[in-house]
Amino acid sequence: MPPKHFLKAGLLTVIVVAAVIICWEFYLRSQNRTISYDDGPELWSNKRARVYLPSDKATVFIGSSRIKFDLDIPTWNQETGTDAIQLAMVGSNPCYLLHDLAEDKDFKGRLIVDVTEVLFFNDGAPFRQRPDKGINFYKKQTPSEKASFQLSQLLESQFVLLDKDFFSMNAYLAKLGLKNRPGVQGNDPLPFPWEFDLTQANRQSKMHERFVKDTNLQNQVRMIWASLGRAMKSPPPTGTKLDSILALVKADVDKIKTRGGNVLFVRTPSSGPFLEGEQQGYPRKKYWERLLAITGCPGIHFMDYESLAHFNCPEFSHLSPADAVKFTKSFVQILENKSWNFPHKNSL
């Protein structure tokens, strides 16, 4: 085939591919889909590298998904004049992130640890997978991987279709419900609606306005919570097992405090049947109060403050974007009352 035919074929291929991408992007936007970033080890590692900022410049947050939804980072930055570094990981035990920071001798800043009891006091293997993956990637990340991340961020900020959890080919194949071949094991993704969790570039999670208004979508997520609750076979830890968990947390906290860092625990809101189940399975005196007593750290439990206790979570476990703003403003005020000074407040 003459070279000019190769050129024409190549040009035609580029045009067809570009047309498909543009049409698909316009279709997704016409369906009111919005930008959501890949919340993988690459994005987490990018934020993990910022924990060395001075304590009067930044506060590090670890936990599970609640603090990712409930802390509105732009509001925090505006109210305090400092940066919020979001390192929480969905569906995981934050104690592994706490240990990572405790072992990092260069970290000596402010740390806020979100406590979702069913995850915080659970040392099951599934709840350390994301922390292990993120920490390992951060420690071994190469210059080329860092450059690739920057390019990916640029593209993800422009294209809805790059949301790999919902709009990639693998995501659509997963929705077909095809069974694995005999002998092949795979992790089936939970059927969360895309409107539930939109990840921002700062790793904040936000519900789409459609989710906040649509009770059918909310009920879909509530059913997922119920099924996950039934799947948890191990009871809440007691006796020597609970003592061991608390001892490990204390040891990590002490390392950070010895270096001059500050650690505070927060219990973010839940509501409805979810809250009732948590109160029954993890009574405050046995878990929350013992955690504060053993570590010697201050704590903020949402039920102790009128400005935090009134929130109703759409799916019982996370705040809507509007309530996240209100929660964050009240949270900052409570911190200031606990002598957490923000010397550059409103300076941004």
Side-chain angles (χ1 to χ4, degrees):
M1 182 181 292
K4 64 179 181 179
H5 293 303
F6 282 110
L7 180 61
K8 289 181 179 180
L11 182 60
L12 179 61
T13 301
V14 171
I15 293 173
V16 171
V17 171
V20 170
I21 291 175
I22 292 172
C23 290
W24 183 233
E25 181 70 16
F26 272 103
Y27 170 76
L28 291 175
R29 290 178 182 268
S30 72
Q31 299 297 306
N32 203 22
R33 266 62 166 173
T34 55
I35 298 291
S36 182
Y37 292 80
D38 176 23
D39 192 20
E42 298 84 359
L43 181 58
W44 186 86
S45 295
N46 177 261
K47 305 308 175 189
R48 172 64 175 79
R50 302 183 65 244
V51 304
Y52 308 108
L53 290 172
S55 59
D56 63 342
K57 300 291 185 182
T59 300
V60 179
F61 291 82
I62 62 174
S64 308
S65 58
R66 283 181 186 165
I67 196 65
K68 288 183 88 261
F69 280 84
D70 297 0
L71 180 78
D72 186 72
I73 292 180
T75 300
W76 171 277
N77 293 351
Q78 181 179 357
E79 292 292 309
T80 68
T82 66
D83 289 334
I85 302 174
Q86 183 58 269
L87 296 184
M89 289 184 170
V90 302
S92 65
N93 184 334
C95 292
Y96 302 112
L97 303 178
L98 174 64
H99 183 70
D100 173 57
L101 293 172
E103 292 299 305
D104 188 340
K105 297 180 180 180
D106 293 324
F107 174 70
K108 55 190 72 173
R110 283 176 167 172
L111 176 65
I112 293 180
V113 185
D114 182 39
V115 177
T116 298
E117 295 91 348
V118 70
L119 294 172
F120 188 93
F121 295 101
N122 195 323
D123 59 359
F127 307 113
R128 67 175 302 165
Q129 289 179 355
R130 283 191 177 94
D132 283 350
K133 191 173 182 180
I135 293 167
N136 290 335
F137 184 88
Y138 171 72
K139 292 179 177 180
K140 299 177 181 179
Q141 189 176 22
T142 65
S144 63
E145 287 172 330
K146 292 181 180 180
S148 176
F149 166 78
Q150 296 299 331
L151 177 60
S152 296
Q153 283 275 283
L154 178 62
L155 293 174
E156 286 182 84
S157 68
Q158 302 300 317
F159 295 100
V160 174
L161 60 84
L162 292 179
D163 183 345
K164 73 175 188 179
D165 290 332
F166 290 97
F167 307 134
S168 66
M169 182 62 69
N170 286 339
Y172 279 98
L173 288 174
K175 294 178 183 178
L176 295 177
L178 300 176
K179 295 183 179 180
N180 292 320
R181 298 189 307 275
V184 176
Q185 293 183 345
N187 294 323
D188 296 327
L190 294 171
F192 285 105
W194 69 266
E195 295 94 338
F196 173 55
D197 184 356
L198 300 173
T199 301
Q200 315 299 297
N202 56 19
R203 294 194 72 250
Q204 179 179 340
S205 291
K206 281 190 175 183
M207 299 172 185
H208 192 277
E209 60 182 8
R210 185 184 300 172
F211 185 88
V212 179
K213 299 176 181 178
D214 193 332
T215 55
N216 289 327
L217 294 173
Q218 295 168 18
N219 286 333
Q220 184 177 340
V221 175
R222 291 172 182 174
M223 291 177 64
I224 294 175
W225 298 152
S227 65
L228 290 175
R230 291 191 295 268
M232 287 190 175
K233 304 299 183 181
S234 58
T238 58
T240 57
K241 185 173 183 179
L242 177 59
D243 293 341
S244 176
I245 292 173
L246 293 171
L248 291 173
V249 173
K250 173 177 170 51
D252 287 335
V253 166
D254 287 347
K255 289 180 181 179
I256 295 173
K257 291 164 67 174
T258 299
R259 296 195 294 264
N262 293 317
V263 180
L264 178 142
F265 292 94
V266 59
R267 177 38 163 99
T268 41
S270 56
S271 60
F274 211 120
L275 175 59
E276 294 175 7
E278 291 171 322
Q279 290 176 319
Q280 292 177 7
Y282 297 86
R284 283 186 59 172
K285 186 174 182 180
K286 187 174 181 179
Y287 293 90
W288 172 258
E289 293 180 14
R290 278 198 68 195
L291 172 66
L292 301 186
I294 289 176
T295 61
C297 293
I300 297 175
H301 195 295
F302 80 98
M303 296 186 72
D304 293 336
Y305 300 88
E306 184 178 353
S307 62
L308 303 181
H310 67 282
F311 292 113
N312 286 315
C313 305
E315 35 59 78
F316 301 144
S317 190
H318 304 83
L319 295 180
S320 68
D323 282 345
V325 171
K326 298 175 184 177
F327 171 87
T328 303
K329 288 182 178 180
S330 297
F331 186 48
V332 170
Q333 184 61 55
I334 294 169
L335 287 171
E336 290 182 319
N337 293 339
K338 287 182 172 290
S339 300
W340 272 49
N341 298 319
F342 299 105
H344 303 293
K345 183 178 181 181
N346 295 324
S347 64
L348 292 183

